[in-house]
Amino acid sequence: MAQPTILLVDDEKEIIDLLEIYLKNEGYRLLRAGNGIEALSVLQKEDVDLIVLDIMMPKMDGIEACLKIREQKHMPIIMLSAKSQDMDKILGLSTGADDYVTKPFNPLELVARIKSQLRRYTRLNVQRPNKEHELEVDELTINTATHEVKLDGRDVKLTPREFAILELLARHRGTVWSIEKIYEAVWKEAYFDSDNTVMVHIRKIREKIEENPRKPKFIKTVWGVGYKVE
């Protein structure tokens, strides 16, 4: 059986290096991130079973990152912080964290807490049909874990960019996304007015999932505004 994957998120390299020593001895697969933005990027590409998340970090702190992670993911999150006041713990746990450890900490204690959270998570999810990663739009099924798309049970082959656009629109059904917002969410960079990249990708997606791309059923055009999945 494959060992669980743990994402370590902390801007202090020494702490991650220390935790890696202990967790690798337990046989865990480890991923690293230096802030919340990097952590969200990793989660888009990797299946993670547990996150160790520091609170005080640059660019995006652990509180904001935890809130964004909880919009889509349900794996255990253990927060780390140099703060020990009760209100800080309450804030961390109220954002969706499952446990809270104050720095400095005993690595062996943190390993024990990780094992406990993984056991609980596995027990709660055992023999439960895994629909967590599936988005369904009528006869269209989008699996965000395996990046598989099926239309009436038939596999649809999408490029990573096409999949990301379709997932974005399907995850926010009914919301109209402008070309600019789609580009910034998928490409992770500023949009230029003269760029028709998004329109080209939308056309290609429609050619693959729509019975009649000129009269789309799934991805609707809201003229002058953008696109949406109803």
Side-chain angles (χ1 to χ4, degrees):
M1 179 182 294
Q3 284 288 343
T5 296
I6 298 175
L7 173 59
L8 304 176
V9 189
D10 200 311
D11 61 322
E12 296 184 58
K13 181 177 180 295
E14 297 79 8
I15 289 181
I16 291 186
D17 290 342
L18 176 63
L19 290 177
E20 279 195 335
I21 295 173
Y22 284 87
L23 293 172
K24 281 185 176 179
N25 285 338
E26 299 291 335
Y28 295 122
R29 174 175 175 257
L30 301 176
L31 302 171
R32 303 168 65 129
N35 56 61
I37 294 176
E38 291 180 11
L40 294 174
S41 178
V42 170
L43 290 172
Q44 288 183 342
K45 306 169 188 174
E46 301 277 356
D47 288 330
V48 173
D49 298 289
L50 181 142
I51 302 173
V52 177
L53 181 64
D54 186 38
I55 289 183
M56 302 299 293
M57 295 182 294
K59 297 184 179 179
M60 181 185 291
D61 64 25
I63 297 295
E64 184 178 356
C66 187
L67 287 169
K68 290 184 177 297
I69 291 169
R70 280 293 179 250
E71 290 177 1
Q72 302 178 12
K73 307 288 185 179
H74 305 287
M75 77 286 282
I77 297 176
I78 299 178
M79 279 193 163
L80 301 179
S81 177
K83 298 180 179 180
S84 60
Q85 287 83 359
D86 288 341
M87 285 307 299
D88 293 314
K89 294 182 180 180
I90 292 171
L91 176 60
L93 295 172
S94 67
T95 59
D98 299 276
D99 203 352
Y100 187 106
V101 176
T102 303
K103 296 178 180 179
F105 55 84
N106 184 329
L108 292 176
E109 178 187 352
L110 181 56
V111 170
R113 292 186 183 224
I114 288 171
K115 289 182 177 180
S116 174
Q117 289 294 334
L118 286 172
R119 281 196 302 269
R120 182 180 305 168
Y121 183 66
T122 301
R123 186 169 63 249
L124 289 175
N125 288 277
V126 68
Q127 295 181 344
R128 182 179 297 176
N130 187 11
K131 294 287 186 178
E132 174 187 351
H133 301 294
E134 289 189 357
L135 301 172
E136 294 184 352
V137 183
D138 295 329
E139 63 269 28
L140 187 69
T141 302
I142 304 160
N143 191 308
T144 60
T146 62
H147 279 218
E148 293 177 322
V149 177
K150 293 183 182 294
L151 181 62
D152 269 338
R154 172 179 60 84
D155 289 330
V156 178
K157 300 299 182 184
L158 299 181
T159 67
R161 295 289 195 199
E162 291 168 357
F163 182 91
I165 293 172
L166 181 60
E167 178 189 353
L168 177 70
L169 296 176
R171 191 177 293 282
H172 302 277
R173 292 181 66 173
T175 300
V176 181
W177 285 74
S178 67
I179 290 176
E180 177 183 355
K181 293 300 184 183
I182 293 173
Y183 187 91
E184 292 177 349
V186 173
W187 275 263
K188 310 297 183 186
E189 59 187 51
Y191 172 76
F192 296 97
D193 289 340
S194 60
D195 196 325
N196 65 349
T197 302
V198 172
M199 296 174 63
V200 172
H201 279 72
I202 293 287
R203 188 185 74 243
K204 291 181 177 179
I205 297 170
R206 282 173 168 167
E207 290 172 353
K208 296 177 180 181
I209 68 172
E210 302 285 3
E211 182 177 350
N212 183 353
R214 294 190 176 185
K215 295 182 179 179
K217 172 183 177 181
F218 298 108
I219 299 180
K220 301 285 190 178
T221 299
V222 181
W223 294 107
V225 183
Y227 300 96
K228 68 176 179 177
V229 167
E230 292 183 332

